[in-house]
Amino acid sequence: MYSSKDSINILTALLVKHGIKHAVVCPGSRNAPIVHNLNECPDISCVAVTDERSAGFYALGMAQALDEPVAVCVTSGSAVLNVAPAVAEAHYQHQSLVVISADRPAAWIDQIDGQTLRQPGALEPWVTCSVSLPEPQTASAKAYAEARWHCNRLVNEALIEATADHRPCVHINVPLSEPLFSFDVAKLPDERAIVRFAPSTDYDCLRTDFVDDILQAKRPMIVFGQMSPWRFLPGSADYLFSHVIVLHEALAPFPSISHFDEVLATAGRRLPAAPDVVLYVGDGIVSKRLKAYLRQNARTRVWRISSTGRVEDTFQNLRGIVVGDAEQVLSALDHKMGRRQLHGMDYRRKWLHLLGAAREHAQSYEPAYSQMAVVRAFEQLIDAQGLDGVAVHYANSTPVRLANIYARHHVWCNRGVNGIEGSLSTACGFAVAARAEGSSPDGAAGVSATASARRVYCVIGDLSFFYDQNALWHADLPASLRILLLNNGRGGIFNMVKGLGGTAACSQQVMGAHSATAQGVCQQNGIGYRQVSADADLSAALNWLTTTESTQPLLLEVVTDADTDAAVFKNYYAYM
C-alpha cells in the first residue's frame, strides 16, 4: 500500500517512468512517507544510510558504478544541507544525483518551528533544476486538478534534466503536512511522463513515436504562437500544412489570419471534437479561448518544438519536447510524410468551413466609429499601399486583439510577459535599428537586413502610451516611425472583463480613467501631431499618417468612447 499523499505518489510513479531504479534513503519522520513509497515500489531498490553526508556520497558511488542517475532521500531541516558536498562533487564529475528532500509546509518556514529552514534552492548552484512540489488539496475539483498537474509538471521537469546526456544533479523538495503516516492507496497512479529529445543536426532521425503520433492522428492540429519572421518561413512544410489544421494569430509569420478565436467564441455545438494530437510551435498566444479549449481534454497529446528544450506545458497535456529549429523540424516531418494522405481530412474540412465563415464575418462586419473601426481602416489602408518593407508593432490589451482580427501580416508585440510597459520603446528601438541597418553598406545582406523597414508603425492604447512616453525622449528618432494612438480615456480592455463593471473602484482605480492627450508630449519631443474624434475625419487622418513625407516621426491620436468601443467589440462576436 502506498501513501495517501498525492505528491508522493506522483513523484514515485514518475521516478519509475523516467528510469530511476536506485535510491539511498536516510532516516527521519518527515520523509518517512517518501521512504515508505520507495521501499514499497518493486521497481526501485533502496539502500539505507543514516548519515546524510555519507548518504550523498553513497549515491555518487552508485551513480558511478551504474552509469545512471541515483536518488537520495533525506528528511527536513538541516538534513538537506548535509548532502551539499556530495552534490557539488557529483556536479563536477557529471554524475546525476536526484536529491529528494521532505519539507514542512511553507507556512511554517521561519516561524521558529522545529526542523524548518528555507529548503527550496538550498543546493544551488550545483543543481540545474530545483523544484518544490505543491500539496494537492481537495478544496475544489478545479484547484485539486491544477495542483496535480502542477506537481506532475514539476517532477517531469526535474527528472527530464536528471536523465539528460550531460547528467546534471537536480533537487526535488516535497513539503508535507500532517497526518504523514496514512498508507491506503493500493497502486501508484498512471502519471504522464514527458519525454525530450534532440534529433541530429540534419533532422533526418526524428523519434518514431513523435512522427507516428502526428501521421496517425485522427484529429491533428498545429498551433503557432509568437515567432520572429527572421527565424521561420511558413513554406518549409507546405504539404504538411495542407493536410493538417493550422491555427495561428497575427504574431506568427503567416500572410493571413486564422480567426480561430471567433470560431471558439461562437461555434458552440458545431465545433469539431478536440484534437487528439497538437504540435505547438513558437511562443505566446493571445487567445484565452484557445488555451481553455486545448486544456479541457486530458486525452489530447501535445508535442512541443522548442529551441531551448524547456518544459512549457501551456495546454497542460504535454507529452514530449522536440529540441531544435522549428523550420528544420517541420521540414523533416514534411519529408517523413512521403506525400501520403493523413488521417483527419474530414476534421480539417470542418475547421476550414468554420474558419472561412469567421473570415467572411470579419470582412463584412461594419463597426461603428470605435477603436475597432480605426484598426480596420488602418489595416485596409496599409494593405492597399503595400506591406513590403513595413513593420507593424501593436501594444498589448485591446490593440493586439484587434490586430488578430484585421492584420494580414506579421505583427510585433511584447507577448513574453504581456505587460503594458515598453511597447512604444520597443517600436522606437526597432525603428532606430532599422534605419541604421538600411544605411549600412551591407544592409541588403543577411536575415536581419529585412529589418530595414521603410516605415515602422506602432498601434498603441492610451495607458500604454502615457506610461511609456519617455520612449519619445530621444534626440534623433527616425521619420519612418508612425504612431497610431487609440485614446478612449481609460484602460478599455477592462470594460470587456465580465464582473468588473459593477465595482465602485472600476473607472478610476482599475481602468485608470483620465483626460490626457498626446499633444503636449508630441510638442516637447518634436513629433508631428494630429487628432481626430469623428468617423468623417478618420480616412483623411489615416492617409496623413501613412503617406506624408516628413522629416520627423508622426503621431495620430484617435479619440473614441470607451463604452462604444466595448459594445462594438462585443457585437462583433455576437453577430457572427
Side-chain angles (χ1 to χ4, degrees):
M1 302 294 283
Y2 295 97
S3 173
S4 60
K5 300 287 187 182
D6 284 305
S7 58
I8 297 177
N9 291 336
I10 291 169
L11 171 61
T12 308
L14 286 174
L15 285 169
V16 172
K17 286 203 170 183
H18 282 277
I20 310 299
K21 306 182 189 71
H22 300 272
V24 178
V25 297
C26 301
S29 60
R30 189 63 50 164
N31 71 326
I34 306 175
V35 173
H36 169 89
N37 261 33
L38 297 176
N39 187 65
E40 285 288 296
C41 182
D43 299 296
I44 297 176
S45 174
C46 293
V47 174
V49 178
T50 300
D51 186 327
E52 288 90 1
R53 294 170 300 176
S54 181
F57 285 102
Y58 261 77
L60 172 58
M62 293 172 68
Q64 292 170 342
L66 297 167
D67 194 29
E68 62 187 43
V70 173
V72 55
C73 178
V74 301
T75 196
S76 61
S78 59
V80 68
L81 302 180
N82 284 315
V83 301
V87 172
E89 180 63 28
H91 168 76
Y92 288 110
Q93 285 194 33
H94 303 289
Q95 299 288 347
S96 181
L97 301 187
V98 179
V99 179
I100 301 168
S101 59
D103 199 357
R104 301 298 175 104
W108 287 103
I109 306 303
D110 294 336
Q111 298 308 301
I112 319 179
D113 197 41
Q115 288 187 300
T116 61
L117 55 80
R118 300 179 191 181
Q119 294 182 200
L123 297 176
E124 295 179 357
W126 303 291
V127 294
T128 62
C129 183
S130 177
V131 300
S132 191
L133 305 185
E135 278 198 273
Q137 305 290 341
T138 55
S140 73
K142 182 179 180 182
Y144 175 70
E146 186 165 286
R148 281 196 101 267
W149 163 77
H150 188 196
C151 189
N152 172 284
R153 194 199 81 211
L154 290 174
V155 177
N156 269 298
E157 284 183 30
L159 296 182
I160 286 173
E161 280 297 311
T163 54
D165 290 341
H166 60 290
R167 297 291 170 81
C169 295
V170 301
H171 178 200
I172 302 174
N173 191 58
V174 190
L176 296 170
S177 56
E178 296 181 358
L180 298 173
F181 311 120
S182 174
F183 308 113
D184 57 5
V185 175
K187 64 178 183 177
L188 293 173
D190 183 16
E191 287 296 315
R192 167 194 67 155
I194 301 171
V195 301
R196 180 174 68 186
F197 72 95
S200 57
T201 53
D202 56 1
Y203 298 95
D204 61 347
C205 189
L206 295 175
R207 250 175 90 135
T208 302
D209 55 350
F210 164 63
V211 174
D212 289 348
D213 220 11
I214 302 297
L215 300 187
Q216 296 174 13
K218 295 180 179 178
R219 297 183 302 277
M221 176 181 288
I222 301 177
V223 174
F224 282 87
Q226 183 172 31
M227 297 184 74
S228 166
W230 316 152
R231 298 172 188 164
F232 182 79
L233 295 175
S236 58
D238 282 343
Y239 192 75
L240 176 65
F241 292 168
S242 68
H243 286 72
V244 176
I245 190 65
V246 178
L247 302 184
H248 60 84
E249 296 173 320
L251 283 69
F254 287 82
S256 62
I257 313 169
S258 288
H259 291 291
F260 62 80
D261 193 65
E262 293 93 319
V263 171
L264 294 172
T266 60
R269 293 181 180 178
R270 296 180 295 127
L271 195 65
D276 53 355
V277 176
V278 171
L279 183 55
Y280 179 24
V281 188
D283 297 317
I285 294 169
V286 177
S287 174
K288 289 184 177 180
R289 293 185 180 96
L290 180 63
K291 286 180 272 195
Y293 170 67
L294 293 177
R295 288 169 184 170
Q296 68 186 5
N297 189 348
R299 291 185 294 275
T300 298
R301 302 183 302 281
V302 178
W303 289 88
R304 176 97 170 97
I305 299 177
S306 166
S307 60
T308 66
R310 286 193 296 263
V311 177
E312 296 162 323
D313 194 12
T314 308
F315 306 132
Q316 298 186 307
N317 291 310
L318 186 63
R319 290 298 181 269
I321 306 159
V322 186
V323 184
D325 176 80
E327 186 173 326
Q328 292 181 322
V329 172
L330 288 169
S331 179
L333 187 59
D334 187 84
H335 180 72
K336 292 275 186 184
M337 289 180 64
R339 296 304 178 253
R340 76 181 79 175
Q341 185 77 12
L342 286 182
H343 302 286
M345 293 304 289
D346 184 57
Y347 176 75
R348 183 173 183 271
R349 280 191 290 270
K350 290 178 180 177
W351 260 103
L352 290 177
H353 172 73
L354 293 171
L355 293 170
R359 182 177 61 252
E360 291 176 8
H361 173 66
Q363 293 171 351
S364 62
Y365 180 69
E366 295 283 351
Y369 178 74
S370 60
Q371 291 184 349
M372 178 174 251
V374 174
V375 171
R376 180 175 186 260
F378 167 72
E379 285 293 343
Q380 288 176 341
L381 185 58
I382 63 170
D383 187 44
Q385 292 173 354
L387 293 166
D388 184 40
V390 172
V392 187
H393 288 246
Y394 273 82
N396 274 310
S397 296
T398 301
V400 72
R401 286 167 172 81
L402 294 175
N404 279 333
I405 296 173
Y406 294 117
R408 296 171 59 186
H409 53 83
H410 174 264
V411 160
W412 297 94
C413 183
N414 288 348
R415 292 302 295 183
V417 181
N418 311 346
I420 68 166
E421 69 279 348
S423 294
L424 184 58
S425 291
T426 303
C428 289
F430 190 106
V432 169
R435 176 181 58 188
E437 186 72 24
S439 62
S440 65
D442 58 348
V447 175
S448 64
T450 314
S452 57
R454 60 180 171 83
R455 190 64 51 83
V456 177
Y457 291 103
C458 179
V459 183
I460 188 168
D462 46 277
L463 292 192
S464 296
F465 174 82
F466 290 115
Y467 193 94
D468 195 23
Q469 61 183 296
N470 279 346
L472 303 180
W473 190 16
H474 185 281
D476 190 26
L477 281 174
S480 60
L481 177 66
R482 304 296 163 97
I483 302 163
L484 178 58
L485 171 57
L486 309 175
N487 189 350
N488 60 12
R490 65 196 63 194
I493 190 72
F494 301 112
N495 258 357
M496 306 175 199
V497 179
K498 189 178 294 184
L500 255 183
T503 67
C506 186
S507 177
Q508 196 66 44
Q509 282 85 356
V510 176
M511 292 185 182
H514 65 89
S515 58
T517 73
Q519 185 172 8
V521 176
C522 290
Q523 286 177 345
Q524 72 180 25
N525 291 292
I527 310 294
Y529 174 80
R530 185 166 175 174
Q531 185 187 99
V532 61
S533 58
D535 189 40
D537 305 320
L538 180 61
S539 178
L542 287 172
N543 269 299
W544 170 81
L545 181 71
T546 60
T547 63
T548 301
E549 294 298 329
S550 172
T551 58
Q552 61 182 169
L554 301 179
L555 182 146
L556 173 62
E557 183 170 24
V558 184
V559 178
T560 60
D561 175 72
D563 292 332
T564 302
D565 291 338
V568 169
F569 193 83
K570 182 179 179 180
N571 288 343
Y572 169 76
Y573 285 92
Y575 291 163
M576 180 173 161

